[in-house]
């Protein structure tokens, strides 16, 4: 998985919160968000609705032993 850039493009896009997970492809002038689920791969941003969106699971803190 490619980590998001320091300041992700289109911060309100659903892609950043998807369990898919998205891959960030950077060129010299822009960052593209590749979706592994969509046939078009690079959806127009920002994505506000997606039929294939699945939220990332919430991280739970480790239980101390």
């Amino acid at each position: 998985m490619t980590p998001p850039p320091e300041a992700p493009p289109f911060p309100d896009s659903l892609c950043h919160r998807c369990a898919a997970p998205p891959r960030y492809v950077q060129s010299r002038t822009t960052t593209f968000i590749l979706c592994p689920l969509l046939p078009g791969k690079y959806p127009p941003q920002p994505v506000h609705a997606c039929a294939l969106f699945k939220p990332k699971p919430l991280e739970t803190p480790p239980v101390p032993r």
Side-chain angles (χ1 to χ4, degrees), residues 14-40:
L14 280 179
C15 298
H16 305 299
R17 300 185 304 272
C18 188
R23 193 172 120 217
Y24 299 88
V25 179
Q26 293 182 296
S27 74
R28 190 171 49 89
T29 57
T30 192
T31 300
F32 298 95
I33 303 173
L34 184 140
C35 176
L37 303 177
L38 294 175

Side-chain angles (χ1 to χ4, degrees), residues 34-55:
L34 184 140
C35 176
L37 303 177
L38 294 175
K41 299 291 184 192
Y42 295 97
Q45 295 294 326
V47 173
H48 293 291
C50 178
L52 300 176
F53 175 76
K54 299 251 190 280

